[in-house]
Amino acid sequence: SSAAAAGSAQVQQEPSAETPEGTGVTINCSHPDIQLNDFIHWYRQLPGRGLTFIALALKGAKEVRDPPGRLSVAAERRSSALWLARPRLGDAALYYCAREP
């Protein structure tokens, strides 16, 4: 499991996920010690490129435009999930979540 930390702001992600092209896939992130006003940020890094911001959420769910999908933060805010609706070969990338105040 990969982990990213900024001070005490730790999150954990599954090491990998795969799906056939065009079939939706969910990428999960755990942030059990999240603080009241921390936002969950999601980024992706395409091969040979820098990080690109995808979306952020405090709680609840919101649509994501690029790549098309939805970002959901659980009611207790201890986890979030990025659902990619119709992933294409070009969406193969590293996906990162981060919690930030």
Side-chain angles (χ1 to χ4, degrees):
S1 173
S2 60
S8 62
Q10 191 168 47
V11 299
Q12 293 185 334
Q13 294 178 257
E14 299 165 336
S16 65
E18 60 182 72
T19 187
E21 188 174 18
T23 302
V25 64
T26 299
I27 304 170
N28 295 300
C29 178
S30 174
H31 27 85
D33 60 343
I34 192 167
Q35 302 301 306
L36 183 64
N37 294 317
D38 283 355
F39 282 83
I40 300 303
H41 297 237
W42 280 81
Y43 302 87
R44 77 170 170 176
Q45 186 174 23
L46 295 167
R49 308 282 293 275
L51 287 178
T52 301
F53 173 76
I54 297 174
L56 67 82
L58 187 61
K59 61 181 177 179
K62 66 186 300 180
E63 297 299 318
V64 174
R65 290 186 180 180
D66 184 23
R70 191 169 183 83
L71 171 59
S72 302
V73 178
E76 84 287 352
R77 304 189 63 240
R78 293 181 181 172
S79 64
S80 60
L82 178 66
W83 177 67
L84 305 183
R86 297 174 304 279
R88 300 155 89 79
L89 187 60
D91 292 320
L94 295 173
Y95 289 81
Y96 297 97
C97 67
R99 44 169 282 216
E100 302 175 26

